[in-house]
Amino acid sequence: MEGFRFTYSAPLRFSDLDVLGHANHLSYLDILENARIAYYFDVMGLRSVQEIKFVLAELQVRYVASALLSQTLEVGFRTAWLKRSSSGFAYQIREQASGLLLAEGEGVQVYMDLHANRSEPLPGAYRERVTAFEGSDLETT
């Protein structure tokens, strides 16, 4: 998928549909969340759910077209920027066979000390892995 080094595919399930037979708007978010977690494992090197200390702070979605049962959705996901304890990401969700854009947007996540309920700096290892993977497209401060 152009502009994205990381992709994640998921078939649309019957349970993802609304009463009109289209993908419910929440199903896009569920598939996006699975793509985001897959990115943590594949790119950042996380090995368990217990290592996920990112909290979603903001999510923007622009719905473009409807998805239907039997389609496979492909998510392009990338980290767009890194700051001290937060990072921004961009994504697109497309119908895999045709490449039709279904939804797109961006979000912000914060790395947290979950016990103290406050942000903490991104670990150096995460920062290094994301920077190496995303390359020159990544903004850092």
Side-chain angles (χ1 to χ4, degrees):
M1 187 181 294
E2 190 175 329
F4 296 92
R5 291 182 177 96
F6 180 84
T7 59
Y8 173 86
S9 298
L12 201 60
R13 306 165 304 180
F14 179 75
S15 61
D16 293 325
L17 304 181
D18 62 19
V19 296
L20 300 175
H22 302 120
N24 182 284
H25 65 283
L26 295 176
S27 64
Y28 290 95
L29 301 180
D30 185 46
I31 291 167
L32 171 62
E33 182 69 357
N34 285 315
R36 188 169 72 109
I37 300 304
Y39 183 93
Y40 294 157
F41 280 70
D42 294 352
V43 175
M44 299 176 108
L46 276 65
R47 300 192 193 304
S48 71
V49 173
Q50 289 74 26
E51 292 182 84
I52 298 173
K53 295 172 55 177
F54 292 92
V55 174
L56 194 60
E58 182 179 321
L59 182 63
Q60 297 176 5
V61 181
R62 185 173 76 88
Y63 296 100
V64 178
S66 297
L68 304 170
L69 188 62
S70 81
Q71 291 179 321
T72 297
L73 306 188
E74 184 173 29
V75 180
F77 187 94
R78 68 180 167 85
T79 299
W81 53 263
L82 294 172
K83 292 187 179 179
R84 181 181 104 41
S85 60
S86 63
S87 60
F89 61 86
Y91 67 91
Q92 289 183 350
I93 302 174
R94 294 181 176 271
E95 198 277 317
Q96 190 173 51
S98 68
L100 176 68
L101 179 64
L102 302 171
E104 62 184 352
E106 53 193 32
V108 176
Q109 54 193 5
V110 178
Y111 192 74
M112 298 286 291
D113 175 334
L114 298 174
H115 297 292
N117 197 29
R118 66 172 182 253
S119 67
E120 65 180 20
L122 286 166
Y126 292 2
R127 187 177 293 279
E128 290 170 13
R129 289 182 69 118
V130 170
T131 301
F133 183 79
E134 298 293 353
S136 62
D137 295 335
L138 182 67
E139 296 176 32
T140 58
T141 55

